[in-house]
Amino acid sequence: MTQSELKVKYPYLNVEDIVLGSDCGEDEGWFDPWLLLSAYKNKIKSLGVEILPGRLTGFKPDKALLVRENNTNNTHTLHYSKFVNATGIHAKFTNRLLNEVLPLDCRFDLPVTPLRNFTFNIACKEGPANLPLMLCPLQTVIRSEGPNYIVKNSVGTLIEDQEELKDFGDVDDSNFTEDIWENLAYRIPAFEATKILGGWVGTTSITHWIRTPLLDLTLKYLIITLSTASPDTVYNRHQQQDSV
């Protein structure tokens, strides 16, 4: 959409510095990732898949992996013919464990990194009704949530140490006032007057590629499939549970 078209359809937007915009309002939406994950787990259980809640601690060269069970701390050795890395925000670190048993010429860096950001539920009396999911040029994301709004900064902080994933941290209002509010009020002036209703810390997986990483590596000892994250920043407000 051109600048003038954006102004006509979304009169509440400040488009002075916008040349073109993309409007994807048809057949679009969002979902609760925790509910989707639960649906997947229930479905595969019905197909006979056994789920062992635990944490992956390492691999063996003979096509086996080590899992420490959550409830008992017992370590299980699981043999496989194919291994799927679907560990979400832990995928990068799972790949590092895998590299320890791969031949040097077969090791690879997984282009997926955990990212931590802050999401807020805000109220604005003068805000536009039925605001669609909107990504602004300065990485502010906002949409309507009933009579209020959900807003976050999609940039966040990259996580390089897996230990940082054990504690999501606390939300401080300064994360909104310093990192989000100015950009939001510039793009939609009505949001100059807002009230924070609540917030949470989210950890997402972002890819370094344009599309979802989905690779098949056929090696001498291992067959690996990677299916980890989409380029969209889908986050989860619930506590992460690792399962194999």
Side-chain angles (χ1 to χ4, degrees), residues 115-122 141-143 145 149-154 170-173 175-176 180 196-204 233-237:
L115 178 141
R116 177 170 293 132
N117 52 28
F118 302 91
T119 304
F120 294 90
N121 185 7
I122 62 173
V141 180
I142 187 170
R143 64 171 173 84
E145 177 78 359
Y149 305 90
I150 297 294
V151 61
K152 71 171 183 172
N153 188 325
S154 65
D170 299 321
V171 178
D172 191 298
D173 288 355
N175 300 129
F176 175 81
I180 297 176
I196 299 174
L197 302 178
W200 60 88
V201 183
T203 304
T204 95
T233 52
V234 178
Y235 55 89
N236 187 352
R237 74 187 69 180

Side-chain angles (χ1 to χ4, degrees), residues 126-213:
E126 303 300 326
N130 300 317
L131 182 68
L133 180 65
M134 186 172 296
L135 172 61
C136 303
L138 296 178
Q139 302 303 313
T140 298
V141 180
I142 187 170
R143 64 171 173 84
S144 289
E145 177 78 359
N148 301 312
Y149 305 90
I150 297 294
V151 61
K152 71 171 183 172
N153 188 325
S154 65
V155 177
T157 303
L158 295 178
I159 299 173
E160 298 295 338
D161 186 351
Q162 192 173 18
E163 290 298 313
E164 297 180 41
L165 295 175
K166 293 182 178 180
D167 183 8
F168 279 18
D170 299 321
V171 178
D172 191 298
D173 288 355
S174 64
N175 300 129
F176 175 81
T177 55
E178 296 176 6
D179 299 332
I180 297 176
W181 175 77
E182 184 176 355
N183 294 336
L184 178 60
Y186 173 78
R187 188 59 56 201
I188 306 177
F191 284 102
E192 289 184 1
T194 61
K195 179 181 179 181
I196 299 174
L197 302 178
W200 60 88
V201 183
T203 304
T204 95
S205 295
I206 62 168
T207 67
H208 300 227
W209 295 346
I210 300 301
R211 56 188 174 82
T212 300

Side-chain angles (χ1 to χ4, degrees), residues 24-31 133:
C24 304
E26 185 175 341
D27 298 327
E28 296 287 336
W30 51 86
F31 56 85
L133 180 65

